[in-house]
Amino acid sequence: MCQACVGKLLGTISALHLCEPQSSIDIDKEISETSATEASVVMQWPPPDKKADIIFHAKLEDGSRIITMDESYNLYEALAIADGKILAVGTFQDIEKLQSYKTRMVCLEEGHTLLPGFIDPHQHTLTGSVIKEFSIDCGYADTRKTKDEVLEFIRTTAKNAQSNDWLLFSLYDNLRQGGDIKHGDLSMSDLNDCAPHNPVFVYYINMHTATANQKAFDTVGINPDPEYYKNHPIKDGGHFGTKDNKYNGMVYEEGAIELFIGPALKAQNLNGSKIRKAIIDWLDYNAELGNTTIHEAGVVVPPGVKLPELLSEYAEVVEGGNCRASVSLMYADDMQPHELDSLSKKYGVDSAEVQKSDAAMTLYGMKIVGDGSNQAKTAAQTKPYLDSVHYGKANYHKGEFISMVNKVAEYGWPVLIHCNGDRTLDHVLEAITLGYGEDAHPLTNAKYINRIEHCTITRSEQLDTMKNLGVQPSFLMNHVYYYGSAYKDQLFGLERANRMDPTQECVDKGIPFSLHTDAPCSNIGPLQLVHAAVNRKCDTTKELIGPEQRISLTEALRAVTINAATHIGRAEQIGSLEVGKFADLVILAKNPYEVDCDKLKDIGVCETWIGGKKTQPKIKVCETYTSGKKTQSHS
């Protein structure tokens, strides 16, 4: 990777029914009334004389399964692959006819289940990989469970550092480690006391908030008078916390965060090979947990950087990893239509070049970050946060949303808008209505769907508007898993907390949705998302949040397979095991339909295949790692 792209990557940093334990007979009924022996071979692609390179065989009598996640949900005995694509699915007797002397036979072990590869439609690969590799983890997943333990860790680290060296910490959780919303934030005085001789920057796990000490403020040249920024606003909603007209150390939103994190990372002596390795390690780890495709939700292009070169570099890196990638661009006022057209022709999901190739990286949409984080009370709400007069604030005025969305619509691209609060969602839906009109509905172009990212706090009538517009949500389901109790007790109260991430209401209204991790905001692991959506229990308190919003296992699996593929414009190529699609698949150690629903996250991932080729993980996941284990140190 060229040195210019090192700067580019630095610039990207800122930013069924309710599940019950089921038997194999139950799942056979739920998935299909058609038995495996009655399923017929579908041979639409390729020519009739094509033979299989690989045949997977599931013996239904010993509990092994092939579940396609297509509309019929048939259980199959066999699946054939040729030239990296699915050649046929059906009975073993029929699929066996596609065998040649070169065909490799793969018999699934007892109880193992083959599914389409999982898809995470919203991660921050560039940010997550670099933060993981070049910052110091002080998050909850490590041994430091309290704010005091984090501060002592920072103090010890500073004592062992050279004076004036940057100390960059990441993944601090103001709710889980801080104890509560009122006292969980770190302060400038805390960090001054711990490290008076070093610039210190602590990047919170929500990726919208951080704390820096006075040395850091001075080192990056923050104006000493907070009033200065009233007349010189920071881009993208960036701002600093104050008390008595003095900085308190808090840093909010991407525009302000990047002022610190860029210099902090540059001090790490980064080079192209280190960054390339960090990204590949991140992609490989996704594959180890069953993801075959991830979506980079908003690539930032710093001033002076050429977007085509950035995407070319990223595509080259992805080719060396064990996971496909999709990217959306972060909105910028100075985007050039001719440049976007050129990129669409090269990487767009419906471009001739992508359609004829097994593309490792594709381009989908443009992202706008509408507000901040509920955990930091920076997401904009129509009702105040619990026990507070604070409503949060959107990153842009309504007129700005309308202007930005209009431009994206004029480019002919779909828009992905981060909305954690319902006030922001009001503005965004109005902007989409004005910008796209009838074209907002996916039926006008099934490959392009406008998305609401996170869509955490909503009202029922907003979902109705989304359905009418064809706008679909992608839920960060780990909000419920990690913060459900805090949402209820500290942020919103019972009624609003129970409606967070309203998945079952979307099912009832007929609104498709996907699930994502927003990694590194929460740990990588598609089965944990499924677990959270089916159970809606908090990880530590085991409290049930919004029981009426629990969804079936099938709906949850669709949200990390075929729905997620639709949300990045690739449903014709991935997301289900259908003839002609890429042979991207995952083999689980157990059938998710045949385990207790409270153990879904602990199902082991045995193998991941991409384009008919088995990935080569550094660890054997089904024996060493499961989605429910400690993973934040990897993200």
Side-chain angles (χ1 to χ4, degrees):
M1 180 173 289
C2 66
Q3 287 302 309
C5 287
V6 173
K8 297 169 191 173
L9 292 180
L10 292 176
T12 65
I13 305 299
S14 8
L16 323 147
H17 301 21
L18 296 181
C19 179
E20 298 291 346
Q22 300 180 33
S23 68
S24 59
I25 297 177
D26 292 329
I27 181 53
D28 288 349
K29 287 182 178 179
E30 181 182 347
I31 291 186
S32 177
E33 295 298 327
T34 305
S35 69
T37 57
E38 295 170 338
S40 61
V41 178
V42 180
M43 290 286 291
Q44 298 174 345
W45 171 94
D49 58 347
K50 189 71 175 180
K51 296 299 183 181
D53 299 326
I54 304 170
I55 292 177
F56 286 92
H57 180 200
K59 297 180 179 179
L60 302 187
E61 63 273 15
D62 70 8
S64 58
R65 296 282 187 269
I66 296 174
I67 302 176
T68 61
M69 296 309 298
D70 60 4
E71 291 184 0
S72 66
Y73 294 105
N74 284 327
L75 287 171
Y76 288 103
E77 284 184 316
L79 178 145
I81 297 171
D83 298 334
K85 293 183 178 181
I86 297 172
L87 176 62
V89 291
T91 66
F92 181 71
Q93 182 179 7
D94 286 332
I95 298 297
E96 191 178 25
K97 298 173 184 176
L98 301 173
Q99 183 178 5
S100 74
Y101 73 95
K102 295 181 179 180
T103 302
R104 176 185 173 190
M105 299 296 297
V106 179
C107 293
L108 297 182
E109 295 183 23
E110 182 176 350
H112 284 194
T113 298
L114 187 153
L115 287 160
F118 297 126
I119 301 166
D120 191 334
H122 184 129
Q123 286 190 7
H124 298 282
T125 306
L126 301 177
T127 302
S129 59
V130 173
I131 285 294
K132 170 189 173 293
E133 190 70 23
F134 303 110
S135 71
I136 305 168
D137 183 355
C138 67
Y140 184 87
D142 214 326
T143 59
R144 289 162 282 279
K145 301 298 185 184
T146 69
K147 177 180 175 180
D148 287 342
E149 289 173 334
V150 170
L151 290 172
E152 185 58 34
F153 176 60
I154 293 173
R155 187 187 308 277
T156 301
T157 303
K159 287 181 179 178
N160 295 322
Q162 296 293 320
S163 182
N164 296 318
D165 281 355
W166 271 96
L167 299 180
L168 174 60
F169 297 88
S170 63
L171 302 180
Y172 175 70
D173 195 318
N174 63 307
L175 288 181
R176 289 161 69 88
Q177 292 168 289
D180 62 67
I181 191 66
K182 292 182 179 180
H183 308 100
D185 288 335
L186 303 174
S187 70
M188 179 180 283
S189 59
D190 287 334
L191 300 185
N192 289 344
D193 181 63
C194 292
H197 306 299
N198 299 87
V200 177
F201 188 76
V202 183
Y203 197 16
Y204 290 21
I205 194 170
N206 62 54
M207 290 179 63
H208 290 267
T209 315
T211 305
N213 67 353
Q214 186 64 57
K215 185 85 170 179
F217 269 68
D218 294 342
T219 301
V220 302
I222 302 302
N223 192 290
D225 182 8
E227 293 293 318
Y228 171 83
Y229 294 101
K230 290 184 177 180
N231 297 320
H232 302 81
I234 303 170
K235 67 176 184 177
D236 300 325
H239 61 284
F240 305 113
T242 60
K243 183 177 182 180
D244 300 327
N245 204 33
K246 295 182 179 180
Y247 296 120
N248 63 11
M250 295 302 298
V251 183
Y252 297 100
E253 296 306 314
E254 179 182 309
I257 287 172
E258 68 181 17
L259 298 175
F260 294 83
I261 203 164
L265 283 169
K266 287 179 181 178
Q268 307 298 315
N269 296 318
L270 303 187
N271 59 47
S273 61
K274 288 181 180 179
I275 293 178
R276 180 185 292 268
K277 181 181 181 300
I279 295 171
I280 289 177
D281 286 348
W282 179 277
L283 295 172
D284 288 354
Y285 186 66
N286 269 276
E288 289 168 9
L289 291 178
N291 283 331
T292 53
T293 302
I294 57 92
H295 179 76
E296 172 80 20
V299 174
V300 178
V301 184
V305 170
K306 294 182 179 179
L307 177 58
E309 186 179 332
L310 170 60
L311 293 183
S312 178
E313 290 278 355
Y314 186 49
E316 182 182 337
V317 174
V318 172
E319 288 283 356
N322 277 325
C323 192
R324 298 185 196 274
S326 167
V327 301
S328 56
L329 305 181
M330 194 70 80
Y331 175 87
D333 285 325
D334 59 354
M335 292 279 187
Q336 300 299 314
H338 69 276
E339 187 174 72
L340 295 177
D341 288 343
S342 176
L343 292 173
S344 292
K345 290 177 182 178
K346 185 173 184 179
Y347 301 111
V349 293
D350 60 352
S351 70
E353 189 167 339
V354 167
Q355 288 295 313
K356 70 182 181 182
S357 67
D358 184 359
M361 191 199 82
T362 53
L363 182 60
Y364 182 86
M366 195 170 293
K367 184 187 175 188
I368 298 170
V369 181
D371 59 9
S373 166
N374 291 313
Q375 295 91 273
K377 290 188 177 181
T378 55
Q381 312 293 345
T382 55
K383 295 180 180 180
Y385 288 90
L386 194 64
D387 297 330
S388 170
V389 296
H390 193 61
Y391 289 78
K393 184 179 179 181
N395 289 341
Y396 307 98
H397 298 299
K398 181 167 67 172
E400 292 175 301
F401 279 121
I402 292 172
S403 176
M404 292 191 296
V405 171
N406 274 339
K407 286 186 178 181
V408 179
E410 288 172 1
Y411 295 147
W413 288 34
V415 68
L416 300 77
I417 308 184
H418 163 120
C419 294
N420 270 316
D422 68 327
R423 180 180 295 277
T424 308
L425 185 55
D426 280 336
H427 297 334
V428 162
L429 292 179
E430 181 175 349
I432 291 175
T433 301
L434 294 173
Y436 290 85
E438 294 180 357
D439 290 339
H441 197 282
L443 291 180
T444 60
N445 187 335
K447 287 181 181 174
Y448 293 124
I449 292 175
N450 292 324
R451 292 171 33 178
I452 303 299
E453 306 303 291
H454 314 326
C455 202
T456 313
I457 301 299
T458 65
R459 306 187 307 276
S460 184
E461 67 271 18
Q462 291 177 315
L463 296 183
D464 292 333
T465 300
M466 290 173 63
K467 181 178 181 180
N468 292 335
L469 290 172
V471 176
Q472 297 179 9
S474 184
F475 294 114
L476 203 180
M477 211 63 225
N478 283 333
H479 275 152
V480 176
Y481 185 73
Y482 289 123
Y483 304 114
S485 293
Y487 271 47
K488 177 176 70 70
D489 298 331
Q490 301 180 44
L491 291 168
F492 296 111
L494 179 62
E495 182 178 356
R496 281 196 286 171
N498 279 345
R499 273 193 53 80
M500 65 187 293
D501 303 310
T503 45
Q504 183 56 45
E505 186 170 355
C506 285
V507 173
D508 294 338
K509 292 179 182 292
I511 304 172
F513 57 87
S514 60
L515 303 177
H516 66 265
T517 62
D518 199 20
C521 290
S522 75
N523 59 289
I524 298 168
L527 288 172
Q528 181 172 302
L529 297 177
V530 171
H531 175 101
V534 169
N535 293 287
R536 291 186 70 95
K537 288 182 180 179
C538 303
D539 69 325
T540 53
T541 66
K542 307 304 179 184
E543 186 173 9
L544 183 60
I545 303 297
E548 67 278 5
Q549 296 295 344
R550 289 179 292 183
I551 59 174
S552 70
L553 178 56
T554 296
E555 292 290 354
L557 287 171
R558 284 183 61 84
V560 294
T561 54
I562 188 60
N563 289 0
T566 303
H567 276 190
I568 59 172
R570 303 203 72 181
E572 292 180 358
Q573 297 172 314
I574 58 176
S576 60
L577 302 178
E578 298 181 75
V579 171
K581 289 191 175 185
F582 294 140
D584 294 1
L585 50 91
V586 62
I587 300 175
L588 303 182
K590 295 181 180 179
N591 185 340
Y593 290 96
E594 297 177 358
V595 302
D596 292 339
C597 59
D598 61 355
K599 295 181 179 179
L600 287 168
K601 64 181 175 57
D602 298 319
I603 297 174
V605 176
C606 298
E607 295 178 8
T608 305
W609 293 64
I610 299 178
K613 296 180 181 179
K614 181 180 175 182
T615 65
Q616 299 297 323
K618 298 173 184 145
I619 55 176
K620 191 168 182 181
V621 182
C622 61
E623 294 183 353
T624 308
Y625 276 81
T626 64
S627 297
K629 300 300 181 181
K630 173 184 173 183
T631 57
Q632 284 185 329
S633 60
H634 295 266
S635 59

